[in-house]
Amino acid sequence: MKDFLRDQLLQALAALQRNGSVPADIPTAFVIERTRSKDHGDFAANAALLMSKAAGMKPRDLAQALVAALPASSQVAKVDIAGPGFINFFLSPAAYRAEVRTILALGAACGRTGSGEGRKAQIEFVSANPTGPLHVGHGRGAAVGDCLARLLQATGWDVTREFYYNDAGQQIANLALSTQARARGIGPDDAGWPADGYRGDYITDVAQAYMAGETVHADGQDVTGAKDPDDLDALRRFAVAALRREQDLDLRAFGVEFDVYYLESSLYTDGKVEETVQQLIAAGHTYEQDGALWLRTTEFGDDKDRVMRKAQGGYTYFLPDIAYHVTKWQRGFGRVINEQGADHHSTVMRVRAGLQALDIGIPKGWPEYVLHQMVTVMRDGEEVKLSKRAGSYVTLRDLIDEVGRDATRWFLAARKSDSQLTFDIDLARTRNRENPVYYVQYTHARICRVREKFAEQGWTWNRDNGLAALERLDTAYDQDMMAAIARFPEIVEIAARNLEPHLVATYLTELAAAFHTWYDNSHILVEDADLRDARFALAEAARSVVANGLDLLGVSAPESM
RNA sequence: GCGCCCGUAGCUCAGCUGGAUAGAGUACCGCCCUCCGAAGGCGGUGGUCGGGGGUUCGAAUCCCUCCGGGCGCGCCA
């Protein structure tokens, strides 16, 4: 509809230019947006405001001229000029009805567009190292990352979900040592406990499984415990597999699945790291100093140069990072989005700088980043900091067990990722209007219940009859409801474009409010079959939008609650 | 000290990349079930958009500055 109205205005403008009342070469940038208030119609355009100077006319005069030149349309009932020179469009009832028909016809496809044109996009998220259960921060990453993937898929991108992890560095060495200590019966406060060891109870479970010779399956491999506490390498392999498996179980419980798991160690064994170093040297952006090899990242906006190869040998972490991103580029991902915690924001500049230094045609702003801020968990008005299993942090599993998958996903994705997030466990468990998840899901359940009631009354919903009788829906409630569902495709497009999944949650809450108001004032199961079928057609369209919106968030749409 | 993010009703948060009188929920005060789920709906009270400058027809939104809070500033990952 926005595009249609834009086109109408451009036609009007062209007409004015032809008859000479407006210069032919003025810039035509303007915005058409949903109005905030019904008094201003359905859509407003600021064209006259923005172009008045170039046109040499007062905004309201220009608006007047544009409106007079607008082509006639059955979609538009009325056009007003308001305020400083806004052009307000009031849609016709026919246009509203057409929206309902479209939504019902599209069903599950409603809200989907082809703007991505099937291009390849990769979203890397979670990417937790296998040193412990996933914490709430990872949960936020999982929720936001997965919603981004769903949004991009809905807008026509060919999306790959990828999880990158380090299976060989210092943290993993600490994991092996911690597991070894537990296998020998040494606790975190005993003599002989490794410095920087992982203190959580889960290490004990891993050690016991290792000593019992259990087999764990993770990332396509079976690893069996060697039962030998002296074999550090076997301990490491087993512990990594055990924790990867545990993380996968958490992610599955959260409804998140990855297409690719990428191991940092493979970058070394495949020679990608060494290859990247040689390319950077050849590109001329490196130098040696104090026995180390440096990359001149300052040439690409960094505030200081970075060491690539340490004086003692070995690479710093950011070199495999660059090599890894080169593989993403080589795998044909013209678009890559990295979803990470904001505590890693300093790597953004460095990764991009390293990729620019390679001079292999990677665009400057590639990859894109979505960073999320910290999560604090509250219960009974107090911050929750510990979990039994992990000790020092609250795990994603804790939240899922306590409030369920749907509420966890909703709350972790429903806030702007730029903002710190307070996860209120009590609110998430509430089953009433206060809790947006239940409020929205309740919309869906209520509509499903009406469908059952049809049968109980001995009626069946005649869809075609309902669509034919849509003009019976002539109240202000009907109109508001139709306007609310018609916004959905725009919301999906904006949320995908801005990489802001929370917009979907905000919209769904507003939609649910609109529905409940409509529902309370529009009894569906009336004797008049035309009216009954028409009303349920609108309800069914709303149900479809709610279901599709919830699906974008990875939240279920229950038929009863 | 430097960089990034945040500051909107008592509380939790929206505000569609500059638009019209700043919106929801909650809390507080009222009202609505012989009727499809009251797990709901309708009113009312509540704001110097952290402070101060600037840019322009127009600023919660953009720029500068200050104040608060968070996160980063390793030859750790």
Side-chain angles (χ1 to χ4, degrees):
Chain A
M1 185 55 71
K2 276 186 188 177
D3 292 338
F4 171 76
L5 294 174
R6 168 177 300 277
D7 188 59
Q8 297 271 296
L9 272 175
L10 288 172
Q11 285 186 40
L13 182 64
L16 294 183
Q17 288 171 327
R18 272 196 305 277
N19 70 25
S21 44
V22 167
D25 58 344
I26 69 173
T28 56
F30 61 89
V31 174
I32 293 185
E33 56 182 10
R34 289 268 171 192
T35 57
R36 206 178 308 207
S37 151
K38 267 199 300 180
D39 300 340
H40 300 144
D42 295 289
F43 292 91
N46 61 356
L49 261 36
L50 294 179
M51 299 191 294
S52 66
K53 196 170 284 181
M57 297 169 74
K58 288 186 204 160
R60 287 192 69 106
D61 292 345
L62 178 56
Q64 189 62 56
L66 282 168
V67 169
L70 276 174
S73 164
S74 61
Q75 308 281 297
V76 178
K78 183 171 72 155
V79 184
D80 270 358
I81 296 158
F86 289 103
I87 299 171
N88 292 337
F89 294 91
F90 293 75
L91 298 188
S92 66
Y96 281 113
R97 293 197 292 269
E99 298 279 10
V100 178
R101 284 193 193 95
T102 303
I103 289 167
L104 272 181
L106 290 174
C110 172
R112 296 188 167 266
T113 69
S115 55
E117 297 170 331
R119 284 170 290 173
K120 286 179 70 171
Q122 185 215 56
I123 302 182
E124 183 208 326
F125 59 113
V126 185
S127 293
N129 285 340
T131 57
L134 299 175
H135 54 66
V136 283
H138 295 128
R140 189 174 193 184
V144 171
D146 190 56
C147 291
L148 288 172
R150 287 164 186 261
L151 278 168
L152 289 195
Q153 283 173 325
T155 49
W157 291 83
D158 174 13
V159 176
T160 297
R161 292 168 169 85
E162 187 151 318
F163 184 117
Y164 174 73
Y165 69 92
N166 178 359
D167 56 328
Q170 188 56 46
Q171 290 183 29
I172 300 302
N174 288 341
L175 171 71
L177 289 169
S178 307
T179 309
Q180 182 178 56
R182 287 290 195 184
R184 289 171 170 160
I186 299 171
D189 299 315
D190 299 336
W193 181 259
D196 303 320
Y198 294 97
R199 305 168 66 94
D201 288 353
Y202 62 90
I203 297 289
T204 310
D205 297 342
V206 173
Q208 281 173 356
Y210 173 83
M211 293 306 285
E214 287 179 20
T215 296
V216 293
H217 182 85
D219 298 343
Q221 282 192 318
D222 285 320
V223 180
T224 302
K227 306 186 186 181
D228 177 1
D230 294 325
D231 189 342
L232 206 52
D233 195 53
L235 278 161
R236 176 183 60 76
R237 284 200 314 274
F238 185 81
V240 165
L243 290 170
R244 275 292 319 125
R245 178 174 150 281
E246 178 166 351
Q247 291 181 349
D248 279 343
L249 291 175
D250 290 347
L251 289 167
R252 188 165 308 156
F254 203 41
V256 174
E257 284 183 31
F258 287 88
D259 302 300
V260 178
Y261 288 87
Y262 206 102
L263 278 67
E264 180 179 332
S265 63
S266 73
L267 294 165
Y268 289 95
T269 53
D270 295 351
K272 302 275 190 201
V273 170
E274 191 56 37
E275 199 177 305
T276 301
V277 175
Q278 295 311 321
Q279 283 181 342
L280 286 168
I281 292 172
H285 298 292
T286 61
Y287 60 93
E288 295 210 29
Q289 186 181 306
D290 304 330
L293 181 66
W294 296 69
L295 180 65
R296 234 184 281 276
T297 52
T298 49
E299 289 180 4
F300 305 96
D302 203 353
D303 51 359
K304 54 176 128 171
D305 292 340
R306 305 292 168 177
V307 168
M308 295 169 26
R309 190 169 56 219
K310 308 176 212 174
Q312 297 89 336
Y315 297 109
T316 58
Y317 73 94
F318 102 106
L319 195 56
D321 263 5
I322 295 171
Y324 173 47
H325 281 86
V326 170
T327 74
K328 295 188 183 184
W329 180 254
Q330 289 170 340
R331 282 183 281 158
F333 294 113
R335 185 164 193 202
V336 167
I337 297 161
N338 292 335
E339 205 290 350
Q340 307 179 341
D343 54 338
H344 290 93
H345 78 252
S346 61
T347 68
V348 175
M349 176 74 82
R350 268 174 255 173
V351 167
R352 285 182 180 158
L355 293 170
Q356 288 306 300
L358 282 168
D359 197 23
I360 54 174
I362 294 176
K364 270 190 173 173
W366 190 98
E368 297 164 69
Y369 282 84
V370 172
L371 304 179
H372 65 259
Q373 297 287 332
M374 281 186 28
V375 181
T376 52
V377 179
M378 303 288 286
R379 183 199 289 119
D380 299 330
E382 285 180 16
E383 183 174 351
V384 183
K385 286 188 169 163
L386 306 177
S387 87
K388 188 137 198 312
R389 186 156 172 74
S392 56
Y393 56 88
V394 180
T395 65
L396 173 60
R397 172 66 68 171
D398 292 336
L399 285 182
I400 297 172
D401 288 347
E402 193 154 357
V403 308
R405 185 186 102 171
D406 285 342
T408 305
R409 284 195 72 130
W410 177 285
F411 281 95
L412 289 177
R415 294 276 178 267
K416 236 184 334 191
S417 57
D418 279 344
S419 299
Q420 290 171 42
L421 167 60
T422 304
F423 194 109
D424 184 339
I425 286 180
D426 304 309
L427 177 62
R429 294 174 61 103
T430 303
R431 298 171 68 85
N432 61 29
R433 172 78 167 98
E434 281 180 64
N435 182 347
V437 195
Y438 280 98
Y439 188 62
V440 172
Q441 289 184 318
Y442 178 47
T443 300
H444 193 268
R446 248 185 160 176
I447 298 168
C448 291
R449 177 68 183 135
V450 175
R451 182 192 280 283
E452 289 176 20
K453 276 278 177 183
F454 256 94
E456 290 174 24
Q457 301 279 343
W459 291 324
T460 36
W461 176 48
N462 186 324
R463 173 192 167 118
D464 291 336
N465 188 49
L467 289 174
L470 283 181
E471 69 274 8
R472 295 290 303 280
L473 305 181
D474 54 4
T475 68
Y477 296 114
D478 293 326
Q479 185 164 315
D480 290 349
M481 191 63 225
M482 293 186 220
I485 57 177
R487 286 172 58 203
F488 181 60
E490 297 159 25
I491 297 293
V492 175
E493 195 65 38
I494 293 167
R497 171 167 27 94
N498 295 353
L499 303 178
E500 293 182 330
H502 76 278
L503 294 177
V504 176
T506 304
Y507 165 73
L508 285 176
T509 309
E510 290 168 1
L511 175 64
F515 172 79
H516 292 302
T517 297
W518 174 79
Y519 181 88
D520 263 47
N521 291 284
S522 314
H523 199 81
I524 296 170
L525 298 173
V526 292
E527 292 291 333
D528 180 341
D530 287 352
L531 187 57
R532 187 170 74 223
D533 287 341
R535 282 191 174 150
F536 193 71
L538 180 52
E540 179 59 19
R543 190 203 60 75
S544 180
V545 170
V546 169
N548 294 354
L550 285 173
D551 185 60
L552 287 172
L553 295 172
V555 175
S556 70
E559 300 197 352
S560 68
M561 299 168 66

